[in-house]
Amino acid sequence: MNIIVLGPPASGKGTQAKLLAKKLALQYLEMGDVLREIAKEATPVGREIDRIMHQEGKLVPDQMTRQVVDDWLKKMGTKRGIVFDGFPRSLGQFKILEELLTPRGEEIDKVIYLKVSRETSIKRLTARRICPQCDFEYNLVTKPPKNNELCDQCQVKLIKRKDDTPEVIELRLKTYQQLTHPLVKYVRQRGILTKIDGEKSIEAIHQDIMERLKS
Ligand code: AMP
């Protein structure tokens, strides 16, 4: 089964997609993470991606995401089923994914859409912290570290993600409205959308997703 997890920034898609992949023993692709690694590279492409992600709050060009997914699918080889986290995020990217899956005899079976309000998105993004050492993600409200603002594993002071500034948050929300929201509408029409209330606790949302996948 191939599942896409969609939602506005800080809807919890990363957390839920990881839980889902673990529970169903599926492979997992987190687009944001792959792109963040590329953005660290001291190359023209790395610098361009860094600017788009961390200053402009836009989506990186489709041809780049196509390459990432194509390479990743080839490397994975097997057909165990995949949870796609943060890809596709536009109608164009959805078509790209279909083009890449069709020759493998695969399709997109479900799209999980985590619905949260704009206010929740902003509140969560403002409270998000990451460990600079292991990249583990915390949220001071919904997923706090045990000790002050220190990583539970590394005991290192947590930091804010580079694109979690008020200016870039605003731009990312705009990008979501312009490009990702139309995709949600499209997959609803195709009858593969499962809408989930993303305002609940992490565990409650996971339970809801598992229930809905059974039906
Ligand atoms: P995320 O970690 O999902 O919040 O994504 C962080 C940033 O990575 C986004 O704001 C985009 O700049 C970039 N990004 C993530 N996924 C995609 C995608 N599917 N297409 C283009 N850019 C993406």
Side-chain angles (χ1 to χ4, degrees):
M1 177 152 52
N2 293 314
I3 304 171
I4 295 168
V5 182
L6 266 186
S11 54
K13 59 184 171 354
T15 304
Q16 293 301 332
K18 282 187 197 90
L19 284 172
L20 191 58
K22 197 167 169 201
K23 185 82 164 203
L24 301 178
L26 300 175
Q27 287 164 338
Y28 172 67
L29 173 64
E30 183 183 358
M31 180 58 81
D33 214 38
V34 176
L35 295 175
R36 268 185 289 281
E37 284 307 310
I38 299 173
K40 284 181 195 162
E41 292 167 11
T43 59
V45 172
R47 280 189 283 275
E48 186 195 347
I49 303 299
D50 182 57
R51 194 191 66 243
I52 296 170
M53 289 178 77
H54 299 125
Q55 291 174 33
E56 297 177 0
K58 291 186 178 162
L59 298 186
V60 310
D62 280 358
Q63 108 219 31
M64 165 72 73
T65 56
R66 173 194 275 272
Q67 192 66 52
V68 166
V69 179
D70 195 17
D71 290 349
W72 188 86
L73 286 172
K74 283 180 184 143
K75 214 162 55 195
M76 286 303 143
T78 62
K79 295 181 179 169
R80 193 147 51 91
I82 303 160
V83 177
F84 292 94
D85 169 5
F87 180 88
R89 287 193 191 206
S90 65
L91 274 169
Q93 290 187 356
F94 187 86
K95 305 265 182 238
I96 289 174
L97 183 57
E98 284 195 317
E99 277 168 31
L100 294 173
L101 289 178
T102 304
R104 296 164 59 96
E106 293 182 68
E107 59 184 5
I108 297 150
D109 300 288
K110 297 256 182 211
V111 179
I112 310 276
Y113 166 52
L114 296 173
K115 189 173 181 345
V116 296
S117 68
R118 183 186 157 83
E119 291 67 36
T120 299
S121 233
I122 294 172
K123 214 160 71 192
R124 287 188 188 166
L125 286 168
T126 312
R128 175 155 70 186
R129 298 290 183 275
I130 53 164
C131 171
Q133 205 151 295
C134 70
D135 284 335
F136 192 81
E137 193 176 302
Y138 296 87
N139 184 291
L140 299 183
V141 182
T142 56
K143 202 172 29 164
K146 292 194 186 105
N147 245 331
N148 260 326
E149 287 199 25
L150 298 179
C151 174
D152 293 348
Q153 296 301 321
C154 316
Q155 299 304 312
V156 169
K157 177 106 174 100
L158 301 177
I159 56 167
K160 277 193 154 200
R161 224 171 80 171
K162 247 168 126 182
D163 53 350
D164 284 345
T165 58
E167 299 77 24
V168 184
I169 288 173
E170 203 49 53
L171 294 166
R172 285 157 65 203
L173 287 169
K174 212 159 124 196
T175 301
Y176 174 80
Q177 275 308 323
Q178 280 172 350
L179 296 173
T180 313
H181 200 63
L183 173 60
V184 175
K185 279 196 194 153
Y186 173 76
V187 292
R188 183 188 299 133
Q189 280 159 8
R190 288 250 312 232
I192 52 173
L193 184 78
T194 301
K195 188 164 135 187
I196 301 281
D197 177 1
E199 305 269 350
K200 298 184 185 176
S201 70
I202 292 172
E203 191 45 41
I205 297 169
H206 177 61
Q207 294 306 334
D208 284 354
I209 293 175
M210 294 311 295
E211 274 305 308
R212 297 286 298 280
L213 284 180
K214 279 186 210 152
S215 57

